Coordinates of all heavy atoms in Angstrom, one line a residue:
M21 N 5.1 8.4 12.5 CA 3.8 8.2 11.8 C 2.9 7.3 12.6 O 3.4 6.2 13.1 CB 4.1 7.6 10.4 CG 2.8 7.2 9.7 SD 3.1 6.6 8.0 CE 2.8 8.2 7.2
A22 N 1.7 7.6 12.7 CA 0.8 6.7 13.4 C 0.5 5.4 12.7 O 0.5 5.4 11.4 CB -0.5 7.5 13.7
R23 N 0.2 4.4 13.4 CA -0.1 3.1 12.8 C -1.5 3.2 12.2 O -2.4 3.8 12.8 CB 0.0 2.0 13.8 CG 1.3 1.9 14.5 CD 1.4 0.7 15.4 NE 1.8 -0.4 14.5 CZ 1.6 -1.6 14.9 NH1 1.1 -1.9 16.0 NH2 2.1 -2.6 14.1
P24 N -1.7 2.6 11.0 CA -3.1 2.7 10.4 C -4.0 1.8 11.2 O -3.7 0.8 11.8 CB -2.8 2.1 9.0 CG -1.6 1.3 9.1 CD -0.8 1.9 10.2
K25 N -5.3 2.2 11.2 CA -6.3 1.5 11.9 C -6.5 0.2 11.1 O -6.6 0.2 9.8 CB -7.6 2.3 12.0 CG -7.4 3.5 12.8 CD -8.8 4.0 13.2 CE -8.8 5.1 14.2 NZ -7.9 5.9 14.6
I26 N -6.7 -0.9 11.7 CA -6.7 -2.2 11.1 C -8.1 -2.7 10.8 O -8.3 -3.7 10.2 CB -5.9 -3.3 11.9 CG1 -4.6 -2.7 12.1 CG2 -5.9 -4.6 11.2 CD1 -3.5 -3.7 12.4
K27 N -9.1 -1.9 11.1 CA -10.5 -2.3 10.8 C -10.8 -2.1 9.3 O -10.3 -1.2 8.6 CB -11.5 -1.6 11.6 CG -11.6 -0.1 11.4 CD -12.6 0.6 12.2 CE -12.8 2.0 11.8 NZ -13.8 2.7 12.6
N28 N -11.6 -3.0 8.8 CA -12.1 -3.0 7.4 C -11.0 -3.1 6.3 O -11.2 -2.6 5.2 CB -12.9 -1.7 7.1 CG -14.1 -1.6 8.0 OD1 -14.7 -2.6 8.4 ND2 -14.5 -0.4 8.3
L29 N -9.9 -3.8 6.7 CA -8.9 -4.0 5.7 C -9.1 -5.5 5.1 O -9.3 -6.4 5.9 CB -7.5 -3.9 6.3 CG -7.0 -2.5 6.6 CD1 -5.6 -2.6 7.2 CD2 -7.0 -1.6 5.4
P30 N -8.9 -5.7 3.8 CA -9.0 -7.0 3.3 C -7.8 -7.8 3.8 O -6.7 -7.3 4.1 CB -9.0 -6.8 1.8 CG -8.3 -5.5 1.6 CD -8.7 -4.7 2.8
D31 N -7.9 -9.2 3.8 CA -6.9 -10.0 4.2 C -6.0 -10.3 3.0 O -6.4 -11.0 2.1 CB -7.4 -11.4 4.8 CG -6.3 -12.3 5.2 OD1 -5.2 -11.8 5.4 OD2 -6.6 -13.5 5.2
L32 N -4.8 -9.7 3.0 CA -3.9 -9.9 1.9 C -2.7 -10.7 2.2 O -1.6 -10.6 1.6 CB -3.4 -8.5 1.4 CG -4.5 -7.6 0.9 CD1 -4.0 -6.3 0.5 CD2 -5.3 -8.2 -0.3
S33 N -2.8 -11.6 3.2 CA -1.7 -12.4 3.7 C -1.2 -13.4 2.6 O 0.0 -13.8 2.6 CB -2.0 -13.2 4.9 OG -3.2 -14.1 4.6
H34 N -2.0 -13.7 1.6 CA -1.6 -14.5 0.5 C -0.6 -13.8 -0.5 O 0.1 -14.5 -1.2 CB -2.8 -15.0 -0.4 CG -3.5 -13.9 -1.1 ND1 -4.4 -13.0 -0.4 CD2 -3.4 -13.4 -2.3 CE1 -4.9 -12.1 -1.3 NE2 -4.3 -12.4 -2.4
L35 N -0.4 -12.5 -0.3 CA 0.5 -11.8 -1.2 C 1.9 -11.8 -0.5 O 2.9 -11.3 -1.2 CB 0.1 -10.3 -1.4 CG -1.2 -10.1 -2.1 CD1 -1.6 -8.6 -2.2 CD2 -1.1 -10.7 -3.5
A36 N 2.1 -12.3 0.7 CA 3.4 -12.3 1.4 C 4.3 -13.5 0.9 O 4.6 -14.4 1.7 CB 3.2 -12.4 2.9
E37 N 4.6 -13.4 -0.4 CA 5.6 -14.4 -0.9 C 6.8 -13.6 -1.3 O 6.8 -12.5 -1.9 CB 5.0 -15.0 -2.2 CG 3.7 -15.8 -2.0 CD 3.0 -16.2 -3.3 OE1 3.6 -15.9 -4.4 OE2 2.0 -16.8 -3.2
P38 N 8.0 -14.2 -1.0 CA 9.3 -13.5 -1.3 C 9.4 -13.1 -2.8 O 9.2 -14.0 -3.7 CB 10.4 -14.5 -0.9 CG 9.7 -15.3 0.1 CD 8.2 -15.4 -0.3
G39 N 9.7 -11.9 -3.1 CA 9.9 -11.4 -4.4 C 8.7 -11.1 -5.2 O 8.7 -10.6 -6.3
R40 N 7.5 -11.1 -4.5 CA 6.2 -10.9 -5.1 C 6.1 -9.4 -5.4 O 6.3 -8.5 -4.5 CB 5.1 -11.4 -4.2 CG 3.7 -11.0 -4.6 CD 3.2 -12.1 -5.5 NE 1.8 -11.8 -5.9 CZ 0.8 -12.6 -5.8 NH1 0.9 -13.7 -5.2 NH2 -0.4 -12.2 -6.3
E41 N 5.7 -9.0 -6.6 CA 5.4 -7.6 -6.9 C 3.9 -7.4 -6.7 O 3.0 -8.1 -7.1 CB 5.7 -7.3 -8.4 CG 7.2 -7.3 -8.6 CD 7.6 -6.8 -10.0 OE1 6.7 -6.5 -10.8 OE2 8.8 -6.6 -10.3
I42 N 3.6 -6.3 -6.0 CA 2.2 -5.9 -5.7 C 1.9 -4.6 -6.3 O 2.6 -3.6 -6.0 CB 2.0 -5.9 -4.2 CG1 2.4 -7.2 -3.6 CG2 0.6 -5.5 -3.9 CD1 3.0 -7.1 -2.2
R43 N 1.0 -4.5 -7.3 CA 0.6 -3.3 -8.0 C -0.6 -2.6 -7.3 O -1.6 -3.3 -7.0 CB 0.3 -3.5 -9.4 CG 1.6 -3.9 -10.2 CD 1.3 -4.1 -11.7 NE 2.5 -4.4 -12.4 CZ 3.0 -5.7 -12.5 NH1 2.3 -6.7 -12.0 NH2 4.1 -5.9 -13.2
V44 N -0.5 -1.4 -7.0 CA -1.6 -0.7 -6.3 C -1.8 0.7 -7.1 O -1.0 1.2 -7.7 CB -1.3 -0.4 -4.8 CG1 -1.2 -1.7 -4.1 CG2 -0.1 0.5 -4.7
R45 N -3.0 1.2 -6.9 CA -3.4 2.5 -7.4 C -3.7 3.3 -6.2 O -4.6 2.9 -5.3 CB -4.6 2.5 -8.3 CG -5.0 3.8 -8.8 CD -5.4 3.8 -10.2 NE -5.8 5.1 -10.7 CZ -5.1 5.8 -11.6 NH1 -4.0 5.2 -12.1 NH2 -5.4 6.9 -12.0
V46 N -3.1 4.5 -6.0 CA -3.1 5.3 -4.8 C -3.8 6.6 -5.0 O -3.6 7.2 -6.1 CB -1.7 5.5 -4.2 CG1 -1.8 6.4 -2.9 CG2 -1.1 4.2 -3.9
A47 N -4.7 7.0 -4.1 CA -5.3 8.3 -4.1 C -5.0 9.0 -2.9 O -5.5 8.7 -1.8 CB -6.9 8.2 -4.3
P48 N -4.1 10.0 -2.9 CA -3.7 10.7 -1.7 C -4.7 11.8 -1.3 O -5.6 12.1 -2.1 CB -2.3 11.3 -2.1 CG -2.4 11.5 -3.5 CD -3.3 10.4 -4.1
K49 N -4.6 12.4 -0.1 CA -5.4 13.4 0.4 C -6.9 13.1 0.4 O -7.8 13.8 0.1 CB -5.2 14.7 -0.4 CG -3.8 15.3 -0.2 CD -3.7 16.6 -0.9 CE -4.4 17.7 -0.3 NZ -4.2 19.0 -0.9
A50 N -7.2 11.8 0.8 CA -8.5 11.3 0.8 C -9.1 11.7 2.2 O -8.4 12.1 3.1 CB -8.6 9.8 0.6
A51 N -10.4 11.5 2.3 CA -11.1 11.8 3.6 C -10.7 10.8 4.7 O -10.6 11.1 5.9 CB -12.6 11.8 3.4
R52 N -10.4 9.5 4.3 CA -10.0 8.5 5.3 C -9.1 7.4 4.6 O -9.2 7.3 3.4 CB -11.2 7.8 5.9 CG -12.1 7.2 5.0 CD -13.4 6.7 5.7 NE -14.4 6.5 4.7 CZ -14.8 5.3 4.2 NH1 -14.2 4.3 4.6 NH2 -15.8 5.2 3.3
D53 N -8.4 6.7 5.4 CA -7.6 5.6 4.8 C -8.5 4.4 4.5 O -9.3 4.0 5.4 CB -6.5 5.2 5.8 CG -5.4 6.3 6.0 OD1 -5.3 7.2 5.1 OD2 -4.7 6.2 7.0
S54 N -8.4 3.8 3.3 CA -9.1 2.6 3.0 C -8.4 1.9 1.9 O -7.5 2.3 1.3 CB -10.5 3.0 2.6 OG -10.5 3.7 1.3
M55 N -8.9 0.6 1.8 CA -8.3 -0.3 0.8 C -9.4 -1.2 0.2 O -10.2 -1.7 1.0 CB -7.2 -1.1 1.4 CG -6.5 -2.1 0.5 SD -5.3 -3.1 1.2 CE -4.2 -2.0 1.9
T56 N -9.4 -1.3 -1.1 CA -10.4 -2.2 -1.7 C -9.6 -3.1 -2.7 O -8.7 -2.6 -3.4 CB -11.5 -1.4 -2.4 OG1 -10.9 -0.6 -3.4 CG2 -12.4 -0.6 -1.5
A57 N -10.0 -4.3 -2.7 CA -9.4 -5.3 -3.7 C -10.5 -5.7 -4.6 O -11.6 -6.2 -4.2 CB -8.8 -6.5 -2.9
D58 N -10.2 -5.6 -5.9 CA -11.2 -6.0 -6.9 C -10.5 -6.7 -8.1 O -9.2 -6.9 -8.0 CB -12.1 -4.9 -7.4 CG -11.4 -3.7 -7.9 OD1 -10.1 -3.8 -8.1 OD2 -12.0 -2.7 -8.1
E59 N -11.1 -6.9 -9.2 CA -10.5 -7.6 -10.3 C -9.4 -6.7 -10.9 O -8.5 -7.3 -11.5 CB -11.6 -7.9 -11.4 CG -12.7 -8.7 -11.0 CD -13.8 -7.9 -10.3 OE1 -14.0 -6.7 -10.7 OE2 -14.5 -8.4 -9.4
G60 N -9.6 -5.4 -10.9 CA -8.6 -4.5 -11.4 C -7.3 -4.4 -10.6 O -6.4 -3.8 -11.0
G61 N -7.3 -4.9 -9.4 CA -6.2 -4.8 -8.5 C -6.5 -4.1 -7.2 O -7.7 -4.1 -6.8
L62 N -5.5 -3.5 -6.5 CA -5.7 -2.9 -5.2 C -5.9 -1.4 -5.4 O -5.1 -0.8 -6.2 CB -4.6 -3.2 -4.3 CG -4.4 -4.6 -3.8 CD1 -3.1 -4.7 -3.0 CD2 -5.6 -4.9 -2.9
R63 N -6.9 -0.8 -4.7 CA -7.1 0.6 -4.7 C -6.9 1.1 -3.3 O -7.6 0.5 -2.4 CB -8.4 1.0 -5.2 CG -8.6 0.7 -6.7 CD -10.0 1.3 -7.2 NE -10.0 1.4 -8.6 CZ -9.6 2.5 -9.2 NH1 -9.1 3.5 -8.5 NH2 -9.6 2.6 -10.5
I64 N -6.0 2.0 -3.0 CA -5.7 2.4 -1.7 C -5.9 4.0 -1.6 O -5.4 4.7 -2.5 CB -4.3 2.1 -1.3 CG1 -4.1 0.6 -1.3 CG2 -3.9 2.7 0.1 CD1 -2.7 0.1 -1.0
T65 N -6.6 4.4 -0.6 CA -6.8 5.9 -0.4 C -6.1 6.2 0.9 O -6.3 5.4 1.9 CB -8.3 6.3 -0.4 OG1 -8.9 5.7 0.7 CG2 -8.9 6.0 -1.7
V66 N -5.4 7.2 1.0 CA -4.7 7.6 2.2 C -4.9 9.1 2.4 O -5.1 9.9 1.5 CB -3.1 7.4 2.1 CG1 -2.9 5.9 2.1 CG2 -2.5 8.1 1.0
T67 N -4.9 9.5 3.7 CA -5.1 10.9 4.1 C -3.9 11.8 3.9 O -4.0 13.0 3.9 CB -5.7 11.0 5.5 OG1 -4.7 10.4 6.4 CG2 -7.0 10.3 5.7
A68 N -2.7 11.1 3.8 CA -1.5 11.9 3.7 C -1.4 12.6 2.4 O -1.8 12.1 1.4 CB -0.3 10.9 3.9
P69 N -0.8 13.8 2.4 CA -0.6 14.5 1.1 C 0.6 13.9 0.3 O 1.5 13.3 0.9 CB -0.2 15.9 1.6 CG 0.4 15.7 3.0 CD -0.3 14.5 3.6
P70 N 0.6 14.2 -1.0 CA 1.6 13.6 -1.8 C 2.9 14.5 -1.9 O 3.4 14.8 -2.9 CB 1.0 13.5 -3.2 CG 0.0 14.7 -3.2 CD -0.5 14.8 -1.7
E71 N 3.4 14.8 -0.7 CA 4.6 15.6 -0.7 C 5.6 15.0 0.3 O 5.3 14.5 1.3 CB 4.3 17.0 -0.3 CG 3.5 17.1 1.0 CD 2.9 18.5 1.2 OE1 2.4 19.1 0.2 OE2 2.8 18.9 2.3
N72 N 6.9 15.0 -0.1 CA 8.0 14.5 0.7 C 7.8 13.0 1.1 O 8.3 12.6 2.1 CB 8.2 15.3 2.0 CG 8.5 16.7 1.8 OD1 9.2 17.1 0.8 ND2 8.0 17.6 2.6
G73 N 7.2 12.2 0.2 CA 7.0 10.8 0.4 C 6.0 10.4 1.5 O 6.0 9.3 1.9
K74 N 5.2 11.3 2.0 CA 4.3 11.0 3.1 C 3.2 10.1 2.6 O 2.8 9.1 3.3 CB 3.7 12.3 3.6 CG 4.6 13.2 4.3 CD 3.9 14.5 4.8 CE 4.9 15.4 5.4 NZ 4.3 16.7 5.8
A75 N 2.7 10.3 1.4 CA 1.6 9.3 0.9 C 2.2 8.0 0.6 O 1.6 7.0 0.8 CB 1.0 9.9 -0.4
N76 N 3.5 7.9 0.1 CA 4.1 6.6 -0.1 C 4.3 5.8 1.2 O 4.1 4.6 1.3 CB 5.5 6.8 -0.8 CG 5.3 7.2 -2.2 OD1 4.3 7.0 -2.8 ND2 6.4 7.9 -2.7
A77 N 4.7 6.5 2.3 CA 4.9 5.9 3.6 C 3.6 5.4 4.1 O 3.5 4.3 4.7 CB 5.6 6.8 4.5
A78 N 2.5 6.2 4.0 CA 1.2 5.8 4.5 C 0.7 4.6 3.7 O 0.1 3.7 4.3 CB 0.2 7.0 4.4
T79 N 0.9 4.6 2.4 CA 0.5 3.5 1.5 C 1.2 2.2 1.9 O 0.6 1.1 2.1 CB 0.8 3.8 0.1 OG1 0.0 5.0 -0.3 CG2 0.3 2.7 -0.8
R80 N 2.5 2.3 2.2 CA 3.3 1.1 2.6 C 2.8 0.6 3.9 O 2.7 -0.6 4.1 CB 4.8 1.5 2.6 CG 5.6 0.3 3.0 CD 7.0 0.5 3.2 NE 7.5 1.8 2.8 CZ 8.7 2.2 2.7 NH1 9.7 1.3 3.0 NH2 9.1 3.4 2.3
A81 N 2.5 1.5 4.9 CA 2.1 1.1 6.2 C 0.7 0.4 6.1 O 0.5 -0.6 6.7 CB 2.0 2.3 7.1
L82 N -0.2 0.9 5.3 CA -1.5 0.3 5.1 C -1.5 -1.0 4.4 O -2.1 -2.0 4.9 CB -2.4 1.3 4.4 CG -3.9 1.1 4.5 CD1 -4.4 1.3 5.9 CD2 -4.6 2.0 3.6
L83 N -0.6 -1.1 3.4 CA -0.5 -2.4 2.7 C 0.2 -3.5 3.6 O -0.3 -4.6 3.6 CB 0.4 -2.2 1.4 CG 0.6 -3.4 0.5 CD1 -0.7 -3.9 0.0 CD2 1.5 -3.0 -0.7
A84 N 1.1 -3.1 4.4 CA 1.8 -4.0 5.3 C 0.8 -4.5 6.4 O 0.9 -5.7 6.7 CB 3.0 -3.3 5.9
A85 N 0.0 -3.6 6.9 CA -1.0 -4.0 7.9 C -2.0 -5.0 7.3 O -2.4 -6.0 8.0 CB -1.8 -2.8 8.4
A86 N -2.4 -4.8 6.0 CA -3.3 -5.8 5.4 C -2.6 -7.1 5.1 O -3.3 -8.2 5.2 CB -3.9 -5.2 4.1
M87 N -1.4 -7.1 4.9 CA -0.6 -8.3 4.6 C -0.2 -9.0 5.8 O 0.2 -10.2 5.8 CB 0.6 -8.0 3.7 CG 0.3 -7.6 2.3 SD 1.7 -7.1 1.3 CE 2.7 -8.6 1.3
G88 N -0.1 -8.3 7.0 CA 0.3 -8.9 8.2 C 1.9 -9.0 8.3 O 2.4 -9.9 9.0
V89 N 2.6 -8.0 7.7 CA 4.0 -8.0 7.7 C 4.5 -6.6 8.1 O 3.7 -5.7 8.3 CB 4.6 -8.3 6.3 CG1 4.2 -9.7 5.8 CG2 4.2 -7.3 5.3
A90 N 5.8 -6.5 8.4 CA 6.3 -5.2 8.8 C 6.5 -4.3 7.6 O 6.8 -4.8 6.5 CB 7.7 -5.5 9.4
P91 N 6.3 -3.0 7.7 CA 6.4 -2.1 6.5 C 7.8 -2.1 6.0 O 8.0 -1.9 4.8 CB 6.1 -0.7 7.1 CG 5.2 -1.0 8.3 CD 5.7 -2.3 8.9
S92 N 8.8 -2.5 6.8 CA 10.2 -2.5 6.3 C 10.4 -3.6 5.2 O 11.4 -3.6 4.5 CB 11.2 -2.6 7.4 OG 10.9 -3.8 8.1
H93 N 9.5 -4.6 5.2 CA 9.6 -5.7 4.2 C 9.1 -5.3 2.8 O 9.2 -6.1 1.9 CB 8.9 -6.9 4.7 CG 9.6 -7.5 5.9 ND1 10.9 -8.1 5.9 CD2 9.2 -7.6 7.2 CE1 11.2 -8.5 7.1 NE2 10.2 -8.3 7.9
L94 N 8.5 -4.1 2.7 CA 7.9 -3.7 1.4 C 8.8 -2.6 0.9 O 9.1 -1.6 1.5 CB 6.5 -3.2 1.6 CG 5.4 -4.2 1.9 CD1 4.1 -3.6 2.3 CD2 5.3 -5.2 0.8
T95 N 9.2 -2.7 -0.4 CA 10.0 -1.8 -1.1 C 9.3 -1.2 -2.2 O 8.7 -2.0 -3.0 CB 11.4 -2.4 -1.5 OG1 12.0 -3.1 -0.4 CG2 12.3 -1.4 -2.2
L96 N 9.3 0.1 -2.4 CA 8.7 0.8 -3.5 C 9.6 0.6 -4.7 O 10.7 1.2 -4.8 CB 8.4 2.2 -3.3 CG 7.7 3.0 -4.3 CD1 6.3 2.4 -4.7 CD2 7.5 4.5 -3.9
K97 N 9.2 -0.1 -5.7 CA 10.0 -0.4 -6.9 C 9.8 0.6 -8.0 O 10.7 1.1 -8.6 CB 9.7 -1.8 -7.4 CG 10.6 -2.2 -8.6 CD 10.4 -3.7 -8.9 CE 11.2 -4.1 -10.1 NZ 10.9 -5.5 -10.5
R98 N 8.5 0.9 -8.3 CA 8.1 1.8 -9.3 C 7.0 2.7 -8.8 O 6.1 2.3 -8.1 CB 7.6 1.0 -10.5 CG 8.5 0.8 -11.6 CD 7.9 0.1 -12.8 NE 8.6 -1.2 -13.0 CZ 8.1 -2.4 -12.8 NH1 6.9 -2.5 -12.4 NH2 8.9 -3.4 -13.0
G99 N 7.0 4.0 -9.4 CA 5.9 4.9 -9.1 C 6.1 5.8 -7.9 O 5.2 6.1 -7.2
Q100 N 7.3 6.3 -7.7 CA 7.6 7.2 -6.6 C 6.7 8.4 -6.7 O 6.2 8.8 -5.6 CB 9.1 7.6 -6.7 CG 9.6 8.5 -5.6 CD 9.6 7.8 -4.2 OE1 9.8 6.6 -4.2 NE2 9.5 8.5 -3.2
T101 N 6.5 9.0 -7.8 CA 5.6 10.2 -7.9 C 4.3 9.9 -8.7 O 3.6 10.9 -9.0 CB 6.4 11.3 -8.6 OG1 6.8 10.9 -9.9 CG2 7.6 11.7 -7.8
A102 N 4.0 8.7 -9.1 CA 2.8 8.4 -9.8 C 1.8 7.8 -8.9 O 2.0 7.3 -7.8 CB 3.2 7.4 -10.9
R103 N 0.5 7.7 -9.4 CA -0.5 7.1 -8.7 C -0.5 5.6 -8.7 O -0.9 4.9 -7.8 CB -1.9 7.5 -9.2 CG -2.2 8.9 -8.9 CD -3.6 9.3 -9.5 NE -3.9 10.7 -9.2 CZ -4.7 11.1 -8.3 NH1 -5.4 10.2 -7.6 NH2 -5.0 12.4 -8.1
D104 N 0.0 5.0 -9.9 CA 0.2 3.6 -10.0 C 1.6 3.2 -9.4 O 2.6 3.7 -9.9 CB 0.1 3.2 -11.4 CG -1.3 3.4 -12.0 OD1 -2.3 3.1 -11.2 OD2 -1.5 3.8 -13.1
K105 N 1.6 2.4 -8.4 CA 2.8 2.0 -7.8 C 3.0 0.5 -7.7 O 2.1 -0.3 -7.8 CB 2.8 2.5 -6.3 CG 2.7 4.0 -6.2 CD 2.7 4.5 -4.8 CE 2.4 6.0 -4.8 NZ 3.3 6.8 -5.5
T106 N 4.3 0.1 -7.7 CA 4.6 -1.3 -7.6 C 5.5 -1.5 -6.3 O 6.6 -0.9 -6.3 CB 5.3 -1.9 -8.8 OG1 4.5 -1.6 -9.9 CG2 5.6 -3.3 -8.7
F107 N 5.0 -2.3 -5.4 CA 5.8 -2.7 -4.2 C 6.3 -4.1 -4.4 O 5.7 -4.9 -5.0 CB 4.9 -2.6 -3.0 CG 4.6 -1.2 -2.5 CD1 3.5 -0.5 -3.0 CD2 5.5 -0.5 -1.7 CE1 3.2 0.8 -2.6 CE2 5.2 0.8 -1.3 CZ 4.1 1.4 -1.7
V108 N 7.5 -4.4 -3.8 CA 8.0 -5.7 -3.8 C 8.2 -6.2 -2.4 O 8.7 -5.4 -1.5 CB 9.4 -5.7 -4.5 CG1 10.0 -7.1 -4.4 CG2 9.3 -5.3 -5.9
Y109 N 7.7 -7.4 -2.1 CA 7.9 -8.0 -0.7 C 9.2 -8.7 -0.6 O 9.5 -9.7 -1.3 CB 6.7 -8.9 -0.5 CG 6.8 -9.6 0.9 CD1 6.7 -8.9 2.0 CD2 7.1 -11.0 0.9 CE1 6.8 -9.6 3.3 CE2 7.2 -11.6 2.1 CZ 7.1 -10.9 3.3 OH 7.2 -11.5 4.5
D110 N 10.0 -8.2 0.3 CA 11.3 -8.8 0.6 C 11.4 -9.1 2.1 O 11.7 -8.2 2.8 CB 12.5 -7.9 0.2 CG 12.6 -7.7 -1.3 OD1 12.4 -8.7 -2.1 OD2 12.8 -6.6 -1.8
P111 N 11.3 -10.4 2.5 CA 11.3 -10.7 3.9 C 12.7 -10.5 4.5 O 13.7 -10.5 3.8 CB 10.8 -12.1 4.0 CG 11.0 -12.7 2.7 CD 11.0 -11.5 1.7

């Protein structure tokens, strides 16, 4: 999988705390990868289709790039097939 482009990503390094749960809302099959942070939480759009875990992998890679950590440190806890997902940071 190609690495996500790092331009226009918010700085989410403050979320890199051990055991921290990060809730996101994902929209697969978008025109481009993007991430917005607002009062309601994180909204992530990825170009990957929601089949065979491709959208989940793309979401994890984009979130990890914004946090400045390796994607292997993020574990999908809830929402394998849902739009609302919960990732846990485990260094």
Side-chain angles (χ1 to χ4, degrees):
M21 171 178 266
R23 300 184 89 198
K25 295 196 174 18
I26 305 203
K27 64 179 186 177
N28 298 329
L29 288 180
D31 180 23
L32 300 177
S33 59
H34 65 279
L35 296 177
E37 299 172 359
R40 172 93 182 232
E41 290 189 355
I42 303 147
R43 292 184 177 88
V44 297
R45 179 142 181 112
V46 179
K49 292 181 73 173
R52 59 188 160 98
D53 292 342
S54 69
M55 179 183 301
T56 57
D58 56 9
E59 304 84 32
L62 289 173
R63 293 182 159 274
I64 299 176
T65 60
V66 293
T67 57
E71 51 194 39
N72 299 327
K74 292 178 185 175
N76 290 337
T79 300
R80 181 183 352 189
L82 199 64
L83 183 59
M87 291 174 63
V89 299
S92 61
H93 292 295
L94 292 172
T95 305
L96 182 60
K97 183 176 180 182
R98 263 184 238 111
Q100 183 70 26
T101 59
R103 288 181 182 254
D104 294 319
K105 301 183 183 302
T106 303
F107 286 92
V108 177
Y109 175 68
D110 293 319

